[in-house]
Amino acid sequence: MTPERWAFLGRYAKELFEDDELDGITERARAAGLPQIAVSADVGRLLQILTLLTPGRLALELGTLAGYSGSWIARGLMPGGRLITIEYDPRHADFAEGEFARNGLDDRVEVVRGAALDVLPDLAQRLGPESVDLVFLDAVKTEYIAYLELSKPLLAHGGVLVADNVYATGQGWIDEGYGTDEFNRRVAADPDFDTTITPMREGLLIARKR
Ligand SMILES: C[S@@+](CC[C@H](N)C(=O)[O-])C[C@H]1O[C@@H](n2cnc3c(N)ncnc32)[C@H](O)[C@@H]1O
């Protein structure tokens, strides 16, 4: 594997899984000046498939941004299923709500505004234990352990936990002291989860709750 081949394969996967509707979100988000830090199309597709492999009744996302990954997850929900996605930045939340409406997903997606650690306790009360089929962590990387503690009881048995950027954050890679080493070790050692990490983008952790 060379850096050139890695870059080519990234472009190749993007081309394979491009989707006009979802690419439109990326283009409008770029034009609106939102940060370009959404998941890639192949990761989005994986989120959809993982959601489809669960009963798809309820999904929870931390870190909405423009609604790109949320739209992939929403596509994997069963009819009548719901996605709740938490976003701290009101500009991102407004933008994402517009995109969910534009793409006809607003009937199944709720954007909850606020910092994940502030809103999760009340949300947990509202949703109840073992009610969520898929949790996607993509907000503040240094808070992943706290997210795990709050979201694990919400996950149904057979539910899936996904976390992005587990090998690197924007600042650097895990061997340079970045990424989510303690979180990764904690999930990997947790007997309640069957866990792996794929090297897609900057590392995507996937864990199924037993
Ligand atoms: C990497 S982006 C999410 C990308 C999105 N999941 C996607 O792939 O389309 C992280 C998002 O988390 C939001 N965020 C930052 N701090 C947060 C917090 N404490 N709680 C919830 N969201 C937060 C940021 O404003 C940003 O929109």
Side-chain angles (χ1 to χ4, degrees), residues 37-39 61 63-65 67-70 86-89 92 114-116 136 138-141 143 147:
I37 50 175
V39 300
E61 176 181 61
T64 316
L65 189 58
Y68 181 77
S69 55
I86 303 173
E87 175 55 53
Y88 174 72
D89 186 323
H92 298 177
F136 178 43
D138 199 17
V140 182
K141 313 310 164 192
E143 295 181 353
Y147 299 160

mmCIF file with all atom_site columns, all heavy atoms in Angstrom, residues 37-39 61 63-65 67-70 86-89 92 114-116 136 138-141 143 147, ligand 1:
data_model
loop_
_atom_site.group_PDB
_atom_site.id
_atom_site.type_symbol
_atom_site.label_atom_id
_atom_site.label_alt_id
_atom_site.label_comp_id
_atom_site.label_asym_id
_atom_site.label_entity_id
_atom_site.label_seq_id
_atom_site.pdbx_PDB_ins_code
_atom_site.Cartn_x
_atom_site.Cartn_y
_atom_site.Cartn_z
_atom_site.occupancy
_atom_site.B_iso_or_equiv
_atom_site.pdbx_formal_charge
_atom_site.auth_seq_id
_atom_site.auth_comp_id
_atom_site.auth_asym_id
_atom_site.auth_atom_id
_atom_site.pdbx_PDB_model_num
ATOM   1   N N   . ILE A 1 37  ? -16.004 18.176 7.061  1.00 0.00 ? 37  ILE A N   1
ATOM   2   C CA  . ILE A 1 37  ? -15.496 17.104 7.931  1.00 0.00 ? 37  ILE A CA  1
ATOM   3   C C   . ILE A 1 37  ? -16.523 15.984 8.089  1.00 0.00 ? 37  ILE A C   1
ATOM   4   O O   . ILE A 1 37  ? -16.476 15.227 9.060  1.00 0.00 ? 37  ILE A O   1
ATOM   5   C CB  . ILE A 1 37  ? -15.072 17.657 9.314  1.00 0.00 ? 37  ILE A CB  1
ATOM   6   C CG1 . ILE A 1 37  ? -16.192 18.524 9.921  1.00 0.00 ? 37  ILE A CG1 1
ATOM   7   C CG2 . ILE A 1 37  ? -13.774 18.445 9.212  1.00 0.00 ? 37  ILE A CG2 1
ATOM   8   C CD1 . ILE A 1 37  ? -15.906 18.999 11.340 1.00 0.00 ? 37  ILE A CD1 1
ATOM   9   N N   . ALA A 1 38  ? -17.442 15.910 7.126  1.00 0.00 ? 38  ALA A N   1
ATOM   10  C CA  . ALA A 1 38  ? -18.421 14.813 7.171  1.00 0.00 ? 38  ALA A CA  1
ATOM   11  C C   . ALA A 1 38  ? -17.738 13.497 6.814  1.00 0.00 ? 38  ALA A C   1
ATOM   12  O O   . ALA A 1 38  ? -16.647 13.476 6.238  1.00 0.00 ? 38  ALA A O   1
ATOM   13  C CB  . ALA A 1 38  ? -19.553 15.094 6.193  1.00 0.00 ? 38  ALA A CB  1
ATOM   14  N N   . VAL A 1 39  ? -18.393 12.379 7.120  1.00 0.00 ? 39  VAL A N   1
ATOM   15  C CA  . VAL A 1 39  ? -17.878 11.073 6.712  1.00 0.00 ? 39  VAL A CA  1
ATOM   16  C C   . VAL A 1 39  ? -17.849 10.992 5.187  1.00 0.00 ? 39  VAL A C   1
ATOM   17  O O   . VAL A 1 39  ? -18.516 11.766 4.502  1.00 0.00 ? 39  VAL A O   1
ATOM   18  C CB  . VAL A 1 39  ? -18.733 9.912  7.279  1.00 0.00 ? 39  VAL A CB  1
ATOM   19  C CG1 . VAL A 1 39  ? -18.750 9.920  8.791  1.00 0.00 ? 39  VAL A CG1 1
ATOM   20  C CG2 . VAL A 1 39  ? -20.151 9.924  6.718  1.00 0.00 ? 39  VAL A CG2 1
ATOM   21  N N   . GLU A 1 61  ? -27.485 9.821  16.795 1.00 0.00 ? 61  GLU A N   1
ATOM   22  C CA  . GLU A 1 61  ? -26.211 10.331 16.286 1.00 0.00 ? 61  GLU A CA  1
ATOM   23  C C   . GLU A 1 61  ? -25.758 11.507 17.143 1.00 0.00 ? 61  GLU A C   1
ATOM   24  O O   . GLU A 1 61  ? -26.572 12.365 17.469 1.00 0.00 ? 61  GLU A O   1
ATOM   25  C CB  . GLU A 1 61  ? -26.388 10.794 14.832 1.00 0.00 ? 61  GLU A CB  1
ATOM   26  C CG  . GLU A 1 61  ? -25.131 11.434 14.243 1.00 0.00 ? 61  GLU A CG  1
ATOM   27  C CD  . GLU A 1 61  ? -25.347 11.911 12.808 1.00 0.00 ? 61  GLU A CD  1
ATOM   28  O OE1 . GLU A 1 61  ? -26.224 12.779 12.581 1.00 0.00 ? 61  GLU A OE1 1
ATOM   29  O OE2 . GLU A 1 61  ? -24.655 11.408 11.919 1.00 0.00 ? 61  GLU A OE2 1
ATOM   30  N N   . GLY A 1 63  ? -23.379 14.637 16.790 1.00 0.00 ? 63  GLY A N   1
ATOM   31  C CA  . GLY A 1 63  ? -22.609 15.412 15.813 1.00 0.00 ? 63  GLY A CA  1
ATOM   32  C C   . GLY A 1 63  ? -23.276 15.360 14.454 1.00 0.00 ? 63  GLY A C   1
ATOM   33  O O   . GLY A 1 63  ? -22.976 14.496 13.623 1.00 0.00 ? 63  GLY A O   1
ATOM   34  N N   . THR A 1 64  ? -24.203 16.304 14.208 1.00 0.00 ? 64  THR A N   1
ATOM   35  C CA  . THR A 1 64  ? -25.033 16.280 12.987 1.00 0.00 ? 64  THR A CA  1
ATOM   36  C C   . THR A 1 64  ? -24.320 16.904 11.797 1.00 0.00 ? 64  THR A C   1
ATOM   37  O O   . THR A 1 64  ? -24.458 16.433 10.669 1.00 0.00 ? 64  THR A O   1
ATOM   38  C CB  . THR A 1 64  ? -26.336 17.078 13.225 1.00 0.00 ? 64  THR A CB  1
ATOM   39  O OG1 . THR A 1 64  ? -26.885 16.750 14.494 1.00 0.00 ? 64  THR A OG1 1
ATOM   40  C CG2 . THR A 1 64  ? -27.353 16.842 12.130 1.00 0.00 ? 64  THR A CG2 1
ATOM   41  N N   . LEU A 1 65  ? -23.638 18.018 12.048 1.00 0.00 ? 65  LEU A N   1
ATOM   42  C CA  . LEU A 1 65  ? -23.075 18.893 11.007 1.00 0.00 ? 65  LEU A CA  1
ATOM   43  C C   . LEU A 1 65  ? -24.174 19.242 9.976  1.00 0.00 ? 65  LEU A C   1
ATOM   44  O O   . LEU A 1 65  ? -25.186 19.813 10.343 1.00 0.00 ? 65  LEU A O   1
ATOM   45  C CB  . LEU A 1 65  ? -21.825 18.261 10.382 1.00 0.00 ? 65  LEU A CB  1
ATOM   46  C CG  . LEU A 1 65  ? -21.020 19.153 9.431  1.00 0.00 ? 65  LEU A CG  1
ATOM   47  C CD1 . LEU A 1 65  ? -20.549 20.448 10.107 1.00 0.00 ? 65  LEU A CD1 1
ATOM   48  C CD2 . LEU A 1 65  ? -19.812 18.416 8.860  1.00 0.00 ? 65  LEU A CD2 1
ATOM   49  N N   . GLY A 1 67  ? -25.967 17.122 8.163  1.00 0.00 ? 67  GLY A N   1
ATOM   50  C CA  . GLY A 1 67  ? -26.986 16.093 7.972  1.00 0.00 ? 67  GLY A CA  1
ATOM   51  C C   . GLY A 1 67  ? -26.585 15.007 6.990  1.00 0.00 ? 67  GLY A C   1
ATOM   52  O O   . GLY A 1 67  ? -27.424 14.194 6.586  1.00 0.00 ? 67  GLY A O   1
ATOM   53  N N   . TYR A 1 68  ? -25.297 14.969 6.615  1.00 0.00 ? 68  TYR A N   1
ATOM   54  C CA  . TYR A 1 68  ? -24.866 13.994 5.606  1.00 0.00 ? 68  TYR A CA  1
ATOM   55  C C   . TYR A 1 68  ? -24.915 12.560 6.157  1.00 0.00 ? 68  TYR A C   1
ATOM   56  O O   . TYR A 1 68  ? -25.656 11.708 5.632  1.00 0.00 ? 68  TYR A O   1
ATOM   57  C CB  . TYR A 1 68  ? -23.456 14.345 5.109  1.00 0.00 ? 68  TYR A CB  1
ATOM   58  C CG  . TYR A 1 68  ? -22.940 13.414 4.048  1.00 0.00 ? 68  TYR A CG  1
ATOM   59  C CD1 . TYR A 1 68  ? -23.388 13.516 2.733  1.00 0.00 ? 68  TYR A CD1 1
ATOM   60  C CD2 . TYR A 1 68  ? -22.020 12.417 4.349  1.00 0.00 ? 68  TYR A CD2 1
ATOM   61  C CE1 . TYR A 1 68  ? -22.930 12.645 1.751  1.00 0.00 ? 68  TYR A CE1 1
ATOM   62  C CE2 . TYR A 1 68  ? -21.554 11.547 3.378  1.00 0.00 ? 68  TYR A CE2 1
ATOM   63  C CZ  . TYR A 1 68  ? -22.001 11.660 2.083  1.00 0.00 ? 68  TYR A CZ  1
ATOM   64  O OH  . TYR A 1 68  ? -21.554 10.788 1.118  1.00 0.00 ? 68  TYR A OH  1
ATOM   65  N N   . SER A 1 69  ? -24.161 12.284 7.223  1.00 0.00 ? 69  SER A N   1
ATOM   66  C CA  . SER A 1 69  ? -24.183 10.917 7.771  1.00 0.00 ? 69  SER A CA  1
ATOM   67  C C   . SER A 1 69  ? -25.580 10.575 8.280  1.00 0.00 ? 69  SER A C   1
ATOM   68  O O   . SER A 1 69  ? -26.040 9.430  8.148  1.00 0.00 ? 69  SER A O   1
ATOM   69  C CB  . SER A 1 69  ? -23.148 10.760 8.889  1.00 0.00 ? 69  SER A CB  1
ATOM   70  O OG  . SER A 1 69  ? -23.334 11.743 9.891  1.00 0.00 ? 69  SER A OG  1
ATOM   71  N N   . GLY A 1 70  ? -26.266 11.569 8.844  1.00 0.00 ? 70  GLY A N   1
ATOM   72  C CA  . GLY A 1 70  ? -27.625 11.325 9.344  1.00 0.00 ? 70  GLY A CA  1
ATOM   73  C C   . GLY A 1 70  ? -28.562 10.884 8.232  1.00 0.00 ? 70  GLY A C   1
ATOM   74  O O   . GLY A 1 70  ? -29.450 10.046 8.452  1.00 0.00 ? 70  GLY A O   1
ATOM   75  N N   . ILE A 1 86  ? -27.864 14.874 17.538 1.00 0.00 ? 86  ILE A N   1
ATOM   76  C CA  . ILE A 1 86  ? -27.568 15.967 18.471 1.00 0.00 ? 86  ILE A CA  1
ATOM   77  C C   . ILE A 1 86  ? -26.504 16.885 17.863 1.00 0.00 ? 86  ILE A C   1
ATOM   78  O O   . ILE A 1 86  ? -25.458 16.410 17.402 1.00 0.00 ? 86  ILE A O   1
ATOM   79  C CB  . ILE A 1 86  ? -27.056 15.408 19.819 1.00 0.00 ? 86  ILE A CB  1
ATOM   80  C CG1 . ILE A 1 86  ? -28.077 14.440 20.418 1.00 0.00 ? 86  ILE A CG1 1
ATOM   81  C CG2 . ILE A 1 86  ? -26.752 16.541 20.789 1.00 0.00 ? 86  ILE A CG2 1
ATOM   82  C CD1 . ILE A 1 86  ? -27.585 13.708 21.671 1.00 0.00 ? 86  ILE A CD1 1
ATOM   83  N N   . GLU A 1 87  ? -26.772 18.184 17.885 1.00 0.00 ? 87  GLU A N   1
ATOM   84  C CA  . GLU A 1 87  ? -25.828 19.153 17.314 1.00 0.00 ? 87  GLU A CA  1
ATOM   85  C C   . GLU A 1 87  ? -25.723 20.376 18.219 1.00 0.00 ? 87  GLU A C   1
ATOM   86  O O   . GLU A 1 87  ? -26.722 20.953 18.609 1.00 0.00 ? 87  GLU A O   1
ATOM   87  C CB  . GLU A 1 87  ? -26.274 19.564 15.908 1.00 0.00 ? 87  GLU A CB  1
ATOM   88  C CG  . GLU A 1 87  ? -25.457 20.651 15.262 1.00 0.00 ? 87  GLU A CG  1
ATOM   89  C CD  . GLU A 1 87  ? -23.955 20.359 15.199 1.00 0.00 ? 87  GLU A CD  1
ATOM   90  O OE1 . GLU A 1 87  ? -23.562 19.292 14.700 1.00 0.00 ? 87  GLU A OE1 1
ATOM   91  O OE2 . GLU A 1 87  ? -23.173 21.209 15.691 1.00 0.00 ? 87  GLU A OE2 1
ATOM   92  N N   . TYR A 1 88  ? -24.474 20.759 18.489 1.00 0.00 ? 88  TYR A N   1
ATOM   93  C CA  . TYR A 1 88  ? -24.192 21.877 19.386 1.00 0.00 ? 88  TYR A CA  1
ATOM   94  C C   . TYR A 1 88  ? -24.300 23.232 18.680 1.00 0.00 ? 88  TYR A C   1
ATOM   95  O O   . TYR A 1 88  ? -24.786 24.202 19.253 1.00 0.00 ? 88  TYR A O   1
ATOM   96  C CB  . TYR A 1 88  ? -22.777 21.703 19.945 1.00 0.00 ? 88  TYR A CB  1
ATOM   97  C CG  . TYR A 1 88  ? -22.309 22.851 20.767 1.00 0.00 ? 88  TYR A CG  1
ATOM   98  C CD1 . TYR A 1 88  ? -22.833 23.084 22.040 1.00 0.00 ? 88  TYR A CD1 1
ATOM   99  C CD2 . TYR A 1 88  ? -21.329 23.728 20.292 1.00 0.00 ? 88  TYR A CD2 1
ATOM   100 C CE1 . TYR A 1 88  ? -22.400 24.150 22.803 1.00 0.00 ? 88  TYR A CE1 1
ATOM   101 C CE2 . TYR A 1 88  ? -20.887 24.790 21.055 1.00 0.00 ? 88  TYR A CE2 1
ATOM   102 C CZ  . TYR A 1 88  ? -21.430 24.993 22.304 1.00 0.00 ? 88  TYR A CZ  1
ATOM   103 O OH  . TYR A 1 88  ? -21.003 26.040 23.054 1.00 0.00 ? 88  TYR A OH  1
ATOM   104 N N   . ASP A 1 89  ? -23.840 23.298 17.418 1.00 0.00 ? 89  ASP A N   1
ATOM   105 C CA  . ASP A 1 89  ? -23.745 24.582 16.706 1.00 0.00 ? 89  ASP A CA  1
ATOM   106 C C   . ASP A 1 89  ? -25.094 24.883 16.042 1.00 0.00 ? 89  ASP A C   1
ATOM   107 O O   . ASP A 1 89  ? -25.523 24.147 15.144 1.00 0.00 ? 89  ASP A O   1
ATOM   108 C CB  . ASP A 1 89  ? -22.629 24.465 15.645 1.00 0.00 ? 89  ASP A CB  1
ATOM   109 C CG  . ASP A 1 89  ? -22.350 25.786 14.948 1.00 0.00 ? 89  ASP A CG  1
ATOM   110 O OD1 . ASP A 1 89  ? -23.306 26.547 14.696 1.00 0.00 ? 89  ASP A OD1 1
ATOM   111 O OD2 . ASP A 1 89  ? -21.172 26.035 14.640 1.00 0.00 ? 89  ASP A OD2 1
ATOM   112 N N   . HIS A 1 92  ? -25.194 24.819 12.236 1.00 0.00 ? 92  HIS A N   1
ATOM   113 C CA  . HIS A 1 92  ? -25.189 23.478 11.657 1.00 0.00 ? 92  HIS A CA  1
ATOM   114 C C   . HIS A 1 92  ? -26.572 22.832 11.815 1.00 0.00 ? 92  HIS A C   1
ATOM   115 O O   . HIS A 1 92  ? -27.069 22.187 10.885 1.00 0.00 ? 92  HIS A O   1
ATOM   116 C CB  . HIS A 1 92  ? -24.128 22.594 12.330 1.00 0.00 ? 92  HIS A CB  1
ATOM   117 C CG  . HIS A 1 92  ? -22.727 23.106 12.162 1.00 0.00 ? 92  HIS A CG  1
ATOM   118 N ND1 . HIS A 1 92  ? -21.644 22.489 12.737 1.00 0.00 ? 92  HIS A ND1 1
ATOM   119 C CD2 . HIS A 1 92  ? -22.235 24.178 11.475 1.00 0.00 ? 92  HIS A CD2 1
ATOM   120 C CE1 . HIS A 1 92  ? -20.534 23.148 12.419 1.00 0.00 ? 92  HIS A CE1 1
ATOM   121 N NE2 . HIS A 1 92  ? -20.874 24.185 11.664 1.00 0.00 ? 92  HIS A NE2 1
ATOM   122 N N   . GLY A 1 114 ? -27.864 21.336 21.260 1.00 0.00 ? 114 GLY A N   1
ATOM   123 C CA  . GLY A 1 114 ? -27.163 21.452 22.532 1.00 0.00 ? 114 GLY A CA  1
ATOM   124 C C   . GLY A 1 114 ? -25.918 20.590 22.523 1.00 0.00 ? 114 GLY A C   1
ATOM   125 O O   . GLY A 1 114 ? -25.658 19.837 21.571 1.00 0.00 ? 114 GLY A O   1
ATOM   126 N N   . ALA A 1 115 ? -25.130 20.712 23.595 1.00 0.00 ? 115 ALA A N   1
ATOM   127 C CA  . ALA A 1 115 ? -23.939 19.883 23.753 1.00 0.00 ? 115 ALA A CA  1
ATOM   128 C C   . ALA A 1 115 ? -24.385 18.479 24.137 1.00 0.00 ? 115 ALA A C   1
ATOM   129 O O   . ALA A 1 115 ? -25.257 18.308 25.005 1.00 0.00 ? 115 ALA A O   1
ATOM   130 C CB  . ALA A 1 115 ? -23.030 20.469 24.818 1.00 0.00 ? 115 ALA A CB  1
ATOM   131 N N   . ALA A 1 116 ? -23.796 17.487 23.511 1.00 0.00 ? 116 ALA A N   1
ATOM   132 C CA  . ALA A 1 116 ? -24.246 16.103 23.712 1.00 0.00 ? 116 ALA A CA  1
ATOM   133 C C   . ALA A 1 116 ? -24.295 15.735 25.198 1.00 0.00 ? 116 ALA A C   1
ATOM   134 O O   . ALA A 1 116 ? -25.267 15.121 25.650 1.00 0.00 ? 116 ALA A O   1
ATOM   135 C CB  . ALA A 1 116 ? -23.331 15.151 22.946 1.00 0.00 ? 116 ALA A CB  1
ATOM   136 N N   . PHE A 1 136 ? -24.239 6.456  16.659 1.00 0.00 ? 136 PHE A N   1
ATOM   137 C CA  . PHE A 1 136 ? -23.068 6.902  15.901 1.00 0.00 ? 136 PHE A CA  1
ATOM   138 C C   . PHE A 1 136 ? -22.430 8.090  16.625 1.00 0.00 ? 136 PHE A C   1
ATOM   139 O O   . PHE A 1 136 ? -23.059 9.138  16.768 1.00 0.00 ? 136 PHE A O   1
ATOM   140 C CB  . PHE A 1 136 ? -23.472 7.301  14.475 1.00 0.00 ? 136 PHE A CB  1
ATOM   141 C CG  . PHE A 1 136 ? -22.320 7.813  13.645 1.00 0.00 ? 136 PHE A CG  1
ATOM   142 C CD1 . PHE A 1 136 ? -21.081 7.182  13.665 1.00 0.00 ? 136 PHE A CD1 1
ATOM   143 C CD2 . PHE A 1 136 ? -22.475 8.921  12.824 1.00 0.00 ? 136 PHE A CD2 1
ATOM   144 C CE1 . PHE A 1 136 ? -20.010 7.650  12.908 1.00 0.00 ? 136 PHE A CE1 1
ATOM   145 C CE2 . PHE A 1 136 ? -21.423 9.390  12.059 1.00 0.00 ? 136 PHE A CE2 1
ATOM   146 C CZ  . PHE A 1 136 ? -20.186 8.756  12.103 1.00 0.00 ? 136 PHE A CZ  1
ATOM   147 N N   . ASP A 1 138 ? -19.837 11.030 16.707 1.00 0.00 ? 138 ASP A N   1
ATOM   148 C CA  . ASP A 1 138 ? -19.031 11.836 15.778 1.00 0.00 ? 138 ASP A CA  1
ATOM   149 C C   . ASP A 1 138 ? -18.994 13.298 16.223 1.00 0.00 ? 138 ASP A C   1
ATOM   150 O O   . ASP A 1 138 ? -18.913 14.190 15.397 1.00 0.00 ? 138 ASP A O   1
ATOM   151 C CB  . ASP A 1 138 ? -19.593 11.725 14.346 1.00 0.00 ? 138 ASP A CB  1
ATOM   152 C CG  . ASP A 1 138 ? -18.578 12.140 13.288 1.00 0.00 ? 138 ASP A CG  1
ATOM   153 O OD1 . ASP A 1 138 ? -17.375 12.207 13.600 1.00 0.00 ? 138 ASP A OD1 1
ATOM   154 O OD2 . ASP A 1 138 ? -18.995 12.393 12.139 1.00 0.00 ? 138 ASP A OD2 1
ATOM   155 N N   . ALA A 1 139 ? -19.056 13.532 17.553 1.00 0.00 ? 139 ALA A N   1
ATOM   156 C CA  . ALA A 1 139 ? -18.982 14.921 18.047 1.00 0.00 ? 139 ALA A CA  1
ATOM   157 C C   . ALA A 1 139 ? -17.580 15.156 18.613 1.00 0.00 ? 139 ALA A C   1
ATOM   158 O O   . ALA A 1 139 ? -16.605 15.064 17.858 1.00 0.00 ? 139 ALA A O   1
ATOM   159 C CB  . ALA A 1 139 ? -20.105 15.171 19.049 1.00 0.00 ? 139 ALA A CB  1
ATOM   160 N N   . VAL A 1 140 ? -17.447 15.429 19.900 1.00 0.00 ? 140 VAL A N   1
ATOM   161 C CA  . VAL A 1 140 ? -16.133 15.786 20.472 1.00 0.00 ? 140 VAL A CA  1
ATOM   162 C C   . VAL A 1 140 ? -15.361 14.502 20.828 1.00 0.00 ? 140 VAL A C   1
ATOM   163 O O   . VAL A 1 140 ? -15.810 13.717 21.670 1.00 0.00 ? 140 VAL A O   1
ATOM   164 C CB  . VAL A 1 140 ? -16.323 16.657 21.734 1.00 0.00 ? 140 VAL A CB  1
ATOM   165 C CG1 . VAL A 1 140 ? -14.967 17.066 22.302 1.00 0.00 ? 140 VAL A CG1 1
ATOM   166 C CG2 . VAL A 1 140 ? -17.168 17.883 21.411 1.00 0.00 ? 140 VAL A CG2 1
ATOM   167 N N   . LYS A 1 141 ? -14.218 14.312 20.195 1.00 0.00 ? 141 LYS A N   1
ATOM   168 C CA  . LYS A 1 141 ? -13.496 13.029 20.332 1.00 0.00 ? 141 LYS A CA  1
ATOM   169 C C   . LYS A 1 141 ? -13.050 12.780 21.778 1.00 0.00 ? 141 LYS A C   1
ATOM   170 O O   . LYS A 1 141 ? -13.020 11.637 22.232 1.00 0.00 ? 141 LYS A O   1
ATOM   171 C CB  . LYS A 1 141 ? -12.285 12.983 19.387 1.00 0.00 ? 141 LYS A CB  1
ATOM   172 C CG  . LYS A 1 141 ? -12.569 13.421 17.951 1.00 0.00 ? 141 LYS A CG  1
ATOM   173 C CD  . LYS A 1 141 ? -13.773 12.756 17.309 1.00 0.00 ? 141 LYS A CD  1
ATOM   174 C CE  . LYS A 1 141 ? -14.217 13.496 16.060 1.00 0.00 ? 141 LYS A CE  1
ATOM   175 N NZ  . LYS A 1 141 ? -15.514 13.096 15.548 1.00 0.00 ? 141 LYS A NZ  1
ATOM   176 N N   . GLU A 1 143 ? -14.589 13.363 24.324 1.00 0.00 ? 143 GLU A N   1
ATOM   177 C CA  . GLU A 1 143 ? -15.756 13.032 25.163 1.00 0.00 ? 143 GLU A CA  1
ATOM   178 C C   . GLU A 1 143 ? -16.300 11.636 24.862 1.00 0.00 ? 143 GLU A C   1
ATOM   179 O O   . GLU A 1 143 ? -17.343 11.252 25.378 1.00 0.00 ? 143 GLU A O   1
ATOM   180 C CB  . GLU A 1 143 ? -16.860 14.080 24.962 1.00 0.00 ? 143 GLU A CB  1
ATOM   181 C CG  . GLU A 1 143 ? -16.455 15.467 25.444 1.00 0.00 ? 143 GLU A CG  1
ATOM   182 C CD  . GLU A 1 143 ? -17.546 16.517 25.266 1.00 0.00 ? 143 GLU A CD  1
ATOM   183 O OE1 . GLU A 1 143 ? -18.588 16.222 24.638 1.00 0.00 ? 143 GLU A OE1 1
ATOM   184 O OE2 . GLU A 1 143 ? -17.354 17.638 25.757 1.00 0.00 ? 143 GLU A OE2 1
ATOM   185 N N   . TYR A 1 147 ? -19.595 9.665  26.278 1.00 0.00 ? 147 TYR A N   1
ATOM   186 C CA  . TYR A 1 147 ? -20.691 9.278  25.370 1.00 0.00 ? 147 TYR A CA  1
ATOM   187 C C   . TYR A 1 147 ? -20.995 7.782  25.517 1.00 0.00 ? 147 TYR A C   1
ATOM   188 O O   . TYR A 1 147 ? -22.153 7.364  25.513 1.00 0.00 ? 147 TYR A O   1
ATOM   189 C CB  . TYR A 1 147 ? -20.339 9.542  23.900 1.00 0.00 ? 147 TYR A CB  1
ATOM   190 C CG  . TYR A 1 147 ? -20.059 10.974 23.514 1.00 0.00 ? 147 TYR A CG  1
ATOM   191 C CD1 . TYR A 1 147 ? -19.350 11.270 22.357 1.00 0.00 ? 147 TYR A CD1 1
ATOM   192 C CD2 . TYR A 1 147 ? -20.514 12.043 24.280 1.00 0.00 ? 147 TYR A CD2 1
ATOM   193 C CE1 . TYR A 1 147 ? -19.091 12.580 21.969 1.00 0.00 ? 147 TYR A CE1 1
ATOM   194 C CE2 . TYR A 1 147 ? -20.249 13.364 23.900 1.00 0.00 ? 147 TYR A CE2 1
ATOM   195 C CZ  . TYR A 1 147 ? -19.537 13.610 22.745 1.00 0.00 ? 147 TYR A CZ  1
ATOM   196 O OH  . TYR A 1 147 ? -19.285 14.901 22.357 1.00 0.00 ? 147 TYR A OH  1
HETATM 197 C C1  . LIG B 2 .   ? -17.333 15.724 12.471 1.00 0.00 ? 1   LIG B C1  1
HETATM 198 S S1  . LIG B 2 .   ? -18.720 16.749 12.537 1.00 0.00 ? 1   LIG B S1  1
HETATM 199 C C2  . LIG B 2 .   ? -20.062 15.641 12.292 1.00 0.00 ? 1   LIG B C2  1
HETATM 200 C C3  . LIG B 2 .   ? -20.137 15.138 10.875 1.00 0.00 ? 1   LIG B C3  1
HETATM 201 C C4  . LIG B 2 .   ? -21.408 14.365 10.561 1.00 0.00 ? 1   LIG B C4  1
HETATM 202 N N1  . LIG B 2 .   ? -21.586 13.261 11.492 1.00 0.00 ? 1   LIG B N1  1
HETATM 203 C C5  . LIG B 2 .   ? -21.325 13.809 9.155  1.00 0.00 ? 1   LIG B C5  1
HETATM 204 O O1  . LIG B 2 .   ? -20.476 12.904 8.932  1.00 0.00 ? 1   LIG B O1  1
HETATM 205 O O2  . LIG B 2 .   ? -22.072 14.246 8.274  1.00 0.00 ? 1   LIG B O2  1
HETATM 206 C C6  . LIG B 2 .   ? -18.886 17.112 14.244 1.00 0.00 ? 1   LIG B C6  1
HETATM 207 C C7  . LIG B 2 .   ? -20.108 17.939 14.590 1.00 0.00 ? 1   LIG B C7  1
HETATM 208 O O3  . LIG B 2 .   ? -20.260 17.904 16.016 1.00 0.00 ? 1   LIG B O3  1
HETATM 209 C C8  . LIG B 2 .   ? -20.686 19.179 16.439 1.00 0.00 ? 1   LIG B C8  1
HETATM 210 N N2  . LIG B 2 .   ? -20.351 19.327 17.861 1.00 0.00 ? 1   LIG B N2  1
HETATM 211 C C9  . LIG B 2 .   ? -19.240 19.896 18.409 1.00 0.00 ? 1   LIG B C9  1
HETATM 212 N N3  . LIG B 2 .   ? -19.289 19.816 19.743 1.00 0.00 ? 1   LIG B N3  1
HETATM 213 C C10 . LIG B 2 .   ? -20.444 19.165 20.044 1.00 0.00 ? 1   LIG B C10 1
HETATM 214 C C11 . LIG B 2 .   ? -21.050 18.756 21.247 1.00 0.00 ? 1   LIG B C11 1
HETATM 215 N N4  . LIG B 2 .   ? -20.460 18.984 22.430 1.00 0.00 ? 1   LIG B N4  1
HETATM 216 N N5  . LIG B 2 .   ? -22.224 18.124 21.186 1.00 0.00 ? 1   LIG B N5  1
HETATM 217 C C12 . LIG B 2 .   ? -22.823 17.857 19.990 1.00 0.00 ? 1   LIG B C12 1
HETATM 218 N N6  . LIG B 2 .   ? -22.288 18.222 18.813 1.00 0.00 ? 1   LIG B N6  1
HETATM 219 C C13 . LIG B 2 .   ? -21.112 18.850 18.833 1.00 0.00 ? 1   LIG B C13 1
HETATM 220 C C14 . LIG B 2 .   ? -19.942 20.141 15.535 1.00 0.00 ? 1   LIG B C14 1
HETATM 221 O O4  . LIG B 2 .   ? -20.582 21.415 15.531 1.00 0.00 ? 1   LIG B O4  1
HETATM 222 C C15 . LIG B 2 .   ? -20.012 19.419 14.203 1.00 0.00 ? 1   LIG B C15 1
HETATM 223 O O5  . LIG B 2 .   ? -21.157 19.815 13.497 1.00 0.00 ? 1   LIG B O5  1
#
